[in-house]
C-alpha cells in the first residue's frame, strides 16, 4: 500500500503542464454525465487514490481542495483512467448532490454555446 | 451569421490559460462516453462552430488540427457547453470510428490507474 508517494509507474506516465498539473474530467459513474473539470498535481492524485475522495489543486487559490469538505457535495471515487498521452485523467465518481458551486448538478449546466 | 469571429458573448465568458487555451472534453452524444480531451483557442472554437467539425489547437505541433482530416475519424458536432468558470468546454459529437490515434475508441481506454 503506497500512501506517501504516487505509484512511480503512474507518475512516469503523467505529462504535466509547466505548473505540474494534469486535467481531471469528473464523470458520474452510472449516468456518465460529465460533472466538472478540475486540475490535479501528483499529490492531489495520490490523495484521491489513497482516500477514495476526490482532491484537486485549486489554481485560483493555490491550495489543495477536497471536494465536498465545505459543501458536503462529496465525490466518492469509483475509478481513474489516464489518457493515451498522459495529460488528462478521467475520474469516475459517485457524486453527492450538486457538483457545481452554483448548485447545478454539473458545472456544464451553466451555459450552452451551441446545440 | 458570425463566421470570421467568435461570438463576443462567448469570447467574453472564456477564461483562458496563459497560452490562450481552454480545455475541451469530447463526449459521444448518445452513449456519453468521454472520448478525449483536447485544447481550443478562440479560433479553434470558432471553426468548430462554423464548420460543425471539431478543430483543436495542437500544443505539441503548434497548429490547428481538424479531427479526422488525416485519419478519417471525424467528429461531427452535436453541441457545445461551457462550464461555470469558462475554462472548460464540453463538446458533444458523433464520432466516426476511433477517437484515439492508437485505434482505441476512447483515449481513456489506454491505462487504468485505479478501479
Amino acid at each position: 500500500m503506497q500512501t506517501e508517494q504516487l505509484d512511480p509507474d503512474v507518475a512516469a506516465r503523467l505529462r504535466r503542464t509547466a505548473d505540474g498539473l494534469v486535467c481531471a474530467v469528473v464523470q458520474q459513474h452510472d449516468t456518465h454525465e460529465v460533472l466538472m473539470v478540475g486540475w490535479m498535481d501528483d499529490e492531489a492524485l495520490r490523495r484521491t487514490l489513497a482516500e477514495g475522495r476526490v482532491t484537486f489543486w485549486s489554481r485560483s487559490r493555490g491550495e489543495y481542495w477536497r471536494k465536498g469538505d465545505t459543501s458536503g457535495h462529496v465525490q466518492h471515487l469509483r475509478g481513474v483512467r489516464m489518457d493515451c498521452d498522459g495529460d488528462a485523467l478521467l475520474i469516475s465518481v459517485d457524486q453527492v448532490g450538486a457538483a457545481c458551486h452554483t448548485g447545478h448538478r454539473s458545472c456544464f449546466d451553466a451555459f450552452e454555446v451551441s446545440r
Side-chain angles (χ1 to χ4, degrees), chain A:
Chain A
M1 291 279 288
Q2 191 94 24
T3 55
E4 294 304 312
Q5 194 187 325
L6 185 60
D7 179 337
D9 181 41
V10 172
R13 288 169 183 263
L14 289 177
R15 250 187 27 175
R16 304 163 191 81
T17 64
D19 300 330
L21 302 173
V22 294
C23 172
V25 179
V26 181
Q27 185 176 39
Q28 173 65 26
H29 73 100
D30 46 6
T31 63
H32 296 166
E33 185 179 17
V34 174
L35 299 169
M36 59 178 290
V37 170
W39 296 88
M40 291 187 181
D41 63 2
D42 288 39
E43 173 63 10
L45 178 56
R46 185 196 70 74
R47 293 186 190 186
T48 296
L49 294 168
E51 299 171 359
R53 287 271 311 276
V54 181
T55 291
F56 301 99
W57 175 256
S58 169
R59 295 185 298 175
S60 54
R61 298 196 304 273
E63 62 183 19
Y64 293 104
W65 157 57
R66 191 167 69 166
K67 181 73 182 171
D69 276 356
T70 55
S71 65
H73 296 166
V74 170
Q75 293 174 339
H76 295 290
L77 188 68
R78 291 299 189 103
V80 178
R81 304 195 68 95
M82 191 189 299
D83 76 348
C84 54
D85 61 1
D87 67 353
L89 299 167
L90 183 61
I91 313 287
S92 178
V93 303
D94 195 10
Q95 170 74 54
V96 175
C100 189
H101 72 286
T102 60
H104 289 112
R105 173 72 176 172
S106 162
C107 291
F108 291 97
D109 291 345
F111 183 66
E112 188 167 68
V113 177
S114 160
R115 58 178 299 173

